[in-house]
Amino acid sequence: MDIVSQNRSFGGIQTVYRHPSNTCGCEMTFAAYLPPQAADGPVPVLWYLSGLSGTPEAAVEAGGFQKHAAEHGLAVVFPDTSPRGDTVADDADADLGQGAGFYLNATRDPWRTHYRMYDYILNELRDLVLDHLPVEDRHGITGHAMGGHGALTMALRNSEMFSSLSAFAPIANPTCSEWGRKQLSAYLGDDETAWSEHDSTLLLDDLGWKTDILVDQGAEDQYLDLLRPEAFATMMAKRRQPGTFRVQKGYDHSLRFVSSFARDHVVWHAERLH
Amino acid sequence: MDIVSQNRSFGGIQTVYRHPSNTCGCEMTFAAYLPPQAADGPVPVLWYLSGLSGTPEAAVEAGGFQKHAAEHGLAVVFPDTSPRGDTVADDADADLGQGAGFYLNATRDPWRTHYRMYDYILNELRDLVLDHLPVEDRHGITGHAMGGHGALTMALRNSEMFSSLSAFAPIANPTCSEWGRKQLSAYLGDDETAWSEHDSTLLLDDLGWKTDILVDQGAEDQYLDLLRPEAFATMMAKRRQPGTFRVQKGYDHSLRFVSSFARDHVVWHAERLH
């Protein structure tokens, strides 16, 4: 792993790494924050998955997680949102291709060569983090928008790996939204039976979640109709899923919304990971 | 108003009052907690409505609101759950009659003579409290089970009176539950069009709520099928109603559930009333 940048932050260390990825077949970037407590022994990991067009650098700058992670003794890992580079397929459409990996393994050309974010995060990057950073093999996961989709779908399908789960304004029902149908069709093909593993509302119905889930949603989110958080909330109610669903009055879709509630989510994960 | 009992409590004063009620045509009991701050000037009022068979005395003893109300400078008023006395109609069934007023004005015999809890609380008791206690004309409302039903329906229908709203395990959709259909039929008659004003899920659909709503529900509540909190949660999602719906893992229907989350609700109201 090469270090792209490294800074002291709230008594801990914020680093951006670059490494060759076998899974994605290209160089990948991610960021990791280590809190002060990591100097004394391994700490649990909170994964933060970014939204469409997000980068690890942007999440580090704008999310505001470091202060709270330092206070509560969590490492935070910020993966990228897709493979990137000149040799990696892309689309002029900002919602498809680079920056829009949707946290799945593509099975269709031209995407299947590099777009394997699901395996990359859950296996390769997880092993890399466990091997190289002073962290416990104990994980929580959250994310924003497309990253909220990633967090919910990855955790629901891998409940043995994750001990805590939350999301900010997730793309919650992509099989019924234009933020989803376009990408699932491109990456997985038109057979919709393959899509259900990437729809957190359907997964919650099918699998439930072992503990409780926190979801925050801005009431003034510009993309409410595309995110469909109410489908997930309705499924939580139908399943009587332990958890908290909050509609936050006045908040939009931006990272200002995420940073405003970052503390609540870090506390949520810290209480369940420690 | 006669004072039945009065005790110093967390630096404030807890009193049980008895007074003749014109609205209910009988003597009525209620309790009121005044926090230490009330000695320096009027404080806002949090109304706590009790559940089936509850009394003001039981809510005062078991709810655990005083400590938090003292900390956050709120008065708490605990009305009774029905008119009471030898001259007041009753039913051997514990879910109908005395202790089970359902916070409505009955229109059918033998109930309509005394069972007018809706008008009693919103008009007569409110005026009595404003005239006799050092409180502001600024109100929040919460309640447990049948009292959660009362809090939600009274606030939704009287949004000009209440500035904050929450509920614990509310009877949330009584027109579709045996905790509701029996009482609504007895008190209001069999024409179900008159029932919808007493169903918070239907009222939320019709009216919405001006700010945000907090609802807590125990996941191990013995009466989940009768309470139907998921109908209200689904309507919150459908309406994109600002608010927080929490399903609390491991908690049952008892007042232990209420007291465990009393602090959160007092803070919720205090933040919106001050």
Side-chain angles (χ1 to χ4, degrees), chain A residues 176-199:
Chain A
C176 298
S177 165
E178 285 312 299
W179 268 1
R181 297 187 61 83
K182 179 172 59 177
Q183 294 84 356
L184 295 171
S185 167
Y187 295 142
L188 302 176
D190 290 331
D191 177 3
E192 297 191 17
T193 56
W195 297 6
S196 57
E197 290 191 334
H198 301 282
D199 184 303

Side-chain angles (χ1 to χ4, degrees), chain A residues 96-97 100-102 104-108 111 115 183-189:
Chain A
L96 194 64
F102 257 74
L104 51 73
N105 297 326
T107 58
R108 298 287 149 153
W111 311 106
Y115 284 76
Q183 294 84 356
L184 295 171
S185 167
Y187 295 142
L188 302 176

Side-chain angles (χ1 to χ4, degrees), chain A residues 17 28 37 46 65 75 77-78 98 111 181 215 221 232 238:
Chain A
Y17 297 96
M28 294 295 287
Q37 295 87 339
L46 174 60
F65 283 90
V77 175
F78 306 84
Q98 296 190 26
W111 311 106
R181 297 187 61 83
V215 178
D221 193 311
F232 193 79
K238 181 185 160 200

Side-chain angles (χ1 to χ4, degrees), chain B residues 192-206:
Chain B
E192 297 191 17
T193 56
W195 298 6
S196 57
E197 290 191 333
H198 301 281
D199 184 304
S200 57
T201 297
L202 301 180
L203 287 170
L204 184 68
D205 190 22
D206 192 27

Side-chain angles (χ1 to χ4, degrees), chain A:
Chain A
M1 296 203 299
D2 294 331
I3 291 177
V4 178
S5 69
Q6 191 164 61
N7 311 90
R8 174 80 39 188
S9 170
F10 293 99
I13 301 172
Q14 178 66 65
T15 310
V16 176
Y17 297 96
R18 198 159 172 76
H19 69 99
S21 163
N22 285 330
T23 309
C24 294
C26 63
E27 292 239 304
M28 294 295 287
T29 304
F30 74 97
Y33 177 72
L34 291 174
Q37 295 87 339
D40 301 323
V43 295
V45 184
L46 174 60
W47 294 77
Y48 174 85
L49 306 186
S50 297
L52 282 165
S53 80
T55 63
E57 292 88 344
V60 163
E61 291 295 329
F65 283 90
Q66 292 83 355
K67 177 179 192 296
H68 314 302
E71 194 172 330
H72 294 279
L74 296 184
V76 188
V77 175
F78 306 84
D80 206 342
T81 48
S82 77
R84 296 181 189 270
D86 293 344
T87 62
V88 173
D90 198 8
D91 190 293
D93 184 334
D95 294 345
L96 194 64
Q98 296 190 26
F102 257 74
Y103 303 104
L104 51 73
N105 297 326
T107 58
R108 298 287 149 153
D109 287 327
W111 311 106
R112 63 179 173 176
T113 316
H114 299 287
Y115 284 76
R116 303 183 57 78
M117 292 302 290
Y118 186 85
D119 279 354
Y120 165 69
I121 290 172
L122 291 171
N123 296 306
E124 187 176 6
L125 184 56
R126 176 198 182 186
D127 288 347
L128 210 61
V129 164
L130 290 174
D131 287 349
H132 290 81
L133 302 181
V135 297
E136 293 177 64
D137 190 6
R138 188 159 174 77
H139 307 266
I141 191 165
T142 188
H144 176 226
M146 179 184 76
H149 149 78
L152 293 170
T153 55
M154 284 181 170
L156 288 167
R157 293 173 63 191
N158 298 277
S159 63
E160 74 294 347
M161 173 170 167
F162 295 101
S163 301
S164 55
L165 174 58
S166 76
F168 299 85
I171 297 178
N173 189 203
T175 62
C176 298
S177 165
E178 285 312 299
W179 268 1
R181 297 187 61 83
K182 179 172 59 177
Q183 294 84 356
L184 295 171
S185 167
Y187 295 142
L188 302 176
D190 290 331
D191 177 3
E192 297 191 17
T193 56
W195 297 6
S196 57
E197 290 191 334
H198 301 282
D199 184 303
S200 58
T201 298
L202 301 178
L203 287 169
L204 184 68
D205 190 22
D206 191 28
L207 302 171
W209 174 248
K210 58 185 177 178
T211 59
D212 45 7
I213 305 173
L214 170 62
V215 178
D216 267 314
Q217 173 63 55
E220 306 305 319
D221 193 311
Q222 310 84 304
Y223 305 112
L224 264 171
D225 289 330
L226 294 164
L227 298 166
R228 295 180 54 78
E230 70 277 13
F232 193 79
T234 298
M235 189 57 72
M236 284 180 73
K238 181 185 160 200
R239 293 263 322 187
R240 293 169 178 177
Q241 169 63 49
T244 297
F245 186 87
R246 306 194 296 191
V247 176
Q248 303 284 8
K249 192 169 187 182
Y251 284 89
D252 65 18
H253 191 67
S254 72
L255 285 173
R256 300 288 77 69
F257 163 66
V258 174
S259 61
S260 297
F261 298 98
R263 181 176 185 281
D264 290 359
H265 286 246
V266 168
V267 168
W268 175 274
H269 288 274
E271 286 177 346
R272 286 153 184 80
L273 290 169
H274 282 307

